[in-house]
Amino acid sequence: MTQARAPRADAVRNRKKILTAAGGQITAHGPDVGMDEIAAAAGVAVGTLYRHFPTKTDLVAAVVAEYVARVADDAEAALARVATGTVRALDELTAFLGRIVEQSVTDRAVKAAAQTLGAEPGNRADEDRAGSAVAGLIRAGQADGDIHPDVTVHDIYLLFSTAPTTQPSTARTRWLALVTPGLTTQARRPAS
């Protein structure tokens, strides 16, 4: 049996450049941006782009998968900070929500492109990692007595889906201040 060779360093760099450019171009120009424009923005030949991603749907699915991996990494890092005992789970969960909402502002067009093209990341491992880490944050917050006992991972995903990503930063900050008390056992604090 022959072992698969690791990708060459230049192929790895090109793939990363393509994914970064695709995210930026879709965000700037919407889901109809052409593969030629994405290749030009990445600084690679169109053929190189197509060797990595035979279709635009494949490319958008890879961009979405990269986003999900970043979310999973963020959630796991938040849970690791809670495990040190130096920060409360509620604070980490609230900060995580804020970061993901802000990131979603720029990734909104990519998500729209994914829906338009029916692009789905094939590997669900990163979604599972994110869900597991968020569940860990919730359990830790419930153990601290800070997070309401009936809060679930699905509730957090519901919050993400209702975030005002088309509104200005001040509205997003206010949204977070309004929804956070719904997660907690604590009384709502006055807005600052």
Side-chain angles (χ1 to χ4, degrees):
M1 184 185 271
T2 308
Q3 269 190 342
R5 288 188 294 163
R8 294 184 345 231
D10 63 329
V12 171
R13 278 191 306 275
N14 284 341
R15 180 180 173 85
K16 177 94 176 122
K17 289 189 321 189
I18 292 166
L19 289 172
T20 300
Q25 290 294 302
I26 292 168
T27 298
H29 305 291
D32 294 330
V33 68
M35 295 289 266
D36 291 345
E37 289 83 7
I38 293 170
V44 300
V46 174
T48 300
L49 186 148
Y50 280 108
R51 271 193 300 283
H52 286 277
F53 304 102
T55 68
K56 190 171 183 181
T57 301
D58 295 332
L59 175 58
V60 172
V63 172
V64 171
E66 193 174 70
Y67 168 79
V68 172
R70 286 192 313 266
V71 169
D73 292 344
D74 190 349
E76 288 178 337
L79 184 58
R81 286 187 295 273
V82 167
T84 68
T86 59
V87 65
R88 295 189 73 79
L90 176 60
D91 295 335
E92 279 297 326
L93 185 60
T94 302
F96 173 72
L97 277 169
R99 288 188 302 272
I100 298 307
V101 167
E102 289 307 309
Q103 189 174 3
S104 294
V105 170
T106 57
D107 292 335
R108 186 178 65 241
V110 173
K111 290 177 189 167
Q115 283 184 321
T116 299
L117 297 171
E120 289 287 326
N123 184 345
R124 299 281 182 211
D126 288 326
E127 285 181 32
D128 293 343
R129 283 191 315 118
S132 180
V134 170
L137 286 170
I138 292 168
R139 282 191 304 274
Q142 290 167 334
D144 290 343
D146 293 337
I147 295 179
H148 199 277
D150 70 351
V151 172
T152 68
V153 172
H154 295 292
D155 295 329
I156 302 304
Y157 291 162
L158 177 62
L159 289 177
F160 289 150
S161 71
T162 63
T165 56
T166 60
Q167 298 294 314
S169 176
T170 54
R172 295 189 302 273
T173 300
R174 180 69 178 148
W175 173 85
L176 189 58
L178 290 171
V179 301
T180 301
L183 302 174
T184 72
T185 57
Q186 302 169 4
R188 185 170 158 220
R189 298 179 196 138
S192 50

